[in-house]
Amino acid sequence: MYRRELILGLAATALAACEPQRAVGADGLPTATIYRISASNAAAVQFRMLDSVNALRARAGVAPVQLNAQLNAAAATHARDMSLQNRPWLFGSDGSSPLDRARRAGFQGQLLGENISESYETELQTLAAWMAQSDTRAVILDPNARAMGISWYQESAGKLWWCMNFGSGAAT
């Protein structure tokens, strides 16, 4: 009888040791972990976002979008610029609009919209926040969109500046 309890106790202790431990703050609550995006998983982040956007679009009954290199470049430029300005807004430090940045990056279609965010959240948490707001949700679910660009800039402290563009026209 004691042998069985001893074995179960040891097994429970071993399993408890396998559970990841999170740091606890002075208030007794778990401290936030910083979501880091490395160069090696950047493509995975973009494709995870693309797949998630297309799943949401399919559920809404609209056509899927494809990643577009020019819109990705425009998004990357603006994400870094927002960090330099230390504010999430649609205008560049040079006064450029989302349309200006898409044209500069060589996008030949019509830019339909841009979503931006300043956060410490993952791409899927950011997408969920955008879907919770009617204006940014409308950009994601625009039935005319066929191309998407997504990029971010991560500061050394972990803050992420997200930028997502949608346009009509061929994806490249």
Side-chain angles (χ1 to χ4, degrees):
M1 183 163 133
Y2 290 113
R3 183 177 179 194
R4 182 176 156 188
E5 290 173 358
L6 179 63
I7 291 171
L8 289 175
L10 289 173
T13 303
L15 288 175
C18 293
E19 186 173 320
Q21 301 295 314
R22 291 190 64 189
V24 177
D27 57 3
L29 297 174
T31 57
T33 57
I34 296 176
Y35 178 67
R36 294 266 182 209
I37 302 174
S38 67
S40 64
N41 69 353
V45 168
Q46 284 184 313
F47 283 106
R48 200 165 29 248
M49 185 68 95
L50 176 68
D51 291 344
S52 299
V53 164
N54 280 333
L56 292 166
R57 290 176 63 83
R59 187 171 184 164
V62 294
V65 293
Q66 293 181 351
L67 284 178
N68 178 279
Q70 291 81 27
L71 291 180
N72 282 343
T77 298
H78 191 55
R80 182 170 179 79
D81 190 45
M82 286 189 298
S83 171
L84 293 172
Q85 295 181 69
N86 197 31
R87 61 178 168 181
W89 73 322
L90 297 173
F91 296 98
S93 57
D94 61 355
S96 62
S97 70
L99 179 59
D100 296 331
R101 291 187 296 276
R103 283 186 182 148
R104 272 191 224 151
F107 183 64
Q108 298 297 309
Q110 178 186 2
L111 185 73
L112 300 172
E114 180 176 79
N115 290 338
I116 57 171
S117 177
E118 165 195 20
S119 74
Y120 289 90
E121 297 177 327
T122 69
E123 63 277 4
L124 299 181
Q125 290 170 320
T126 302
L127 179 59
W130 283 333
M131 289 300 290
Q133 299 295 319
S134 61
D135 56 342
T136 51
R137 181 177 54 248
V139 171
I140 294 166
L141 300 179
D142 187 325
N144 298 311
R146 296 295 178 270
M148 181 183 97
I150 179 69
S151 196
W152 59 90
Y153 177 76
Q154 187 161 34
E155 296 177 355
S156 60
K159 183 189 288 186
L160 286 157
W161 299 85
W162 294 97
C163 185
M164 175 187 271
N165 295 315
F166 286 88
S168 64
T172 58

